[in-house]
Amino acid sequence: MTIIHVTDIEDPRLAPFTSIREKDLTNAHGGRFIVEGKVTLDALIRKSRFEIESLFLTQSRLEPLSELLRDVDDRTPVYVAEQSLMDQIAGFPVHRGVLACGYKGEPVDRRDLLASARTVLVLIGLSNHDNVGGCFRNASAFGADVILLDAGSCDPLYRKSIRVSAGTALSVPFVHSGSGEEIFQSLTDEGFDIWCLTPRADAEAIDQLKPPDKLALVLGAEGPGLPDQLISRGKPVRIPMVSGVDSINVATAGAIALSRMFSSNQ
């Protein structure tokens, strides 16, 4: 490891870690993303497809993380500071004492990912970072090969999304671009059956359906759900539930649907 002890709040090498919350709100990390906490750091170091720029730890975390840090490339700087200095730089109390910065890299081509995929989770208009993180964690647990997000969905590499995903947003392949119509066209061109999750009464119950060889499960935002014009391009599918309840949390719905597909394929 290249350990660098810092004592100056103005140290320019720590610029990616300054005022993190403000940068999160304005998407001002400049092609970078920030992870926070041991679980996500472990995922970034051992499972991520993204390049690591630097780590920023409190002095008290250096020894407990020593085994994990052995897997860090020797060229990656590990900045170490006292807790009070880290908090001042980050702009909030970093109770976990663990931050890291990674590069997003070049965008991945949607068609390249779909060419080898069999199960795809599609997120349309999801603006809640907790829900996006939850969907990534569920996709990882139930074997989805790829996640596609339209441009209206929030960034999976937002710090909170990564944390809620338990770091799986760093390893599950995804593409975050385009409109719902463009995503559906790519899926159709690649031969996917498209199942649109909806509470509509005329939709088919998912537990009565056999998953096809190539399946895309599509989730819409809580409240409005998927637009009718998109549902009309796929198969409307519902999760059976008791009378009087028309919907559940979108990440929960994705987990149930993916679990049923996973169980059917075992």
Side-chain angles (χ1 to χ4, degrees), residues 113-206:
L113 287 186
L114 292 179
S116 59
R118 289 295 176 265
T119 302
V120 177
L121 183 64
V122 182
L123 309 180
I124 304 294
L126 267 65
S127 59
N128 182 288
H129 296 97
D130 295 82
N131 285 335
V132 168
C135 286
F136 268 80
R137 190 170 185 177
N138 296 333
S140 177
F142 297 116
D145 302 304
V146 173
I147 297 180
L148 302 180
L149 307 94
D150 72 334
S153 294
C154 62
D155 187 355
L157 296 180
Y158 176 79
R159 180 169 51 95
K160 190 175 184 183
S161 294
I162 295 173
R163 189 172 71 245
V164 173
S165 80
T168 56
L170 303 173
S171 57
V172 176
F174 71 85
V175 177
H176 181 210
S177 67
S179 65
E181 288 79 7
E182 291 170 333
I183 291 173
F184 272 50
Q185 188 60 55
S186 295
L187 292 166
T188 300
D189 292 345
E190 294 297 328
F192 281 85
D193 286 323
I194 303 173
W195 291 5
C196 300
L197 272 291
T198 173
R200 289 180 1 184
D202 61 344
E204 296 187 60
I206 194 168

Side-chain angles (χ1 to χ4, degrees), residues 14 43 66 77 81 102 119 140 171 201 211 213 215 234 243 254:
L14 297 176
S66 59
T119 302
S140 177
S171 57
D213 290 336
L215 173 64
S243 176

Side-chain angles (χ1 to χ4, degrees), residues 24 31 43 50 69 79 114 146 153-154 189 199 219 226 231 246:
D24 283 343
F50 298 99
L69 295 176
Y79 300 110
L114 292 179
V146 173
S153 294
C154 62
D189 292 345
L219 300 171
L226 289 169
I231 295 177
D246 68 350

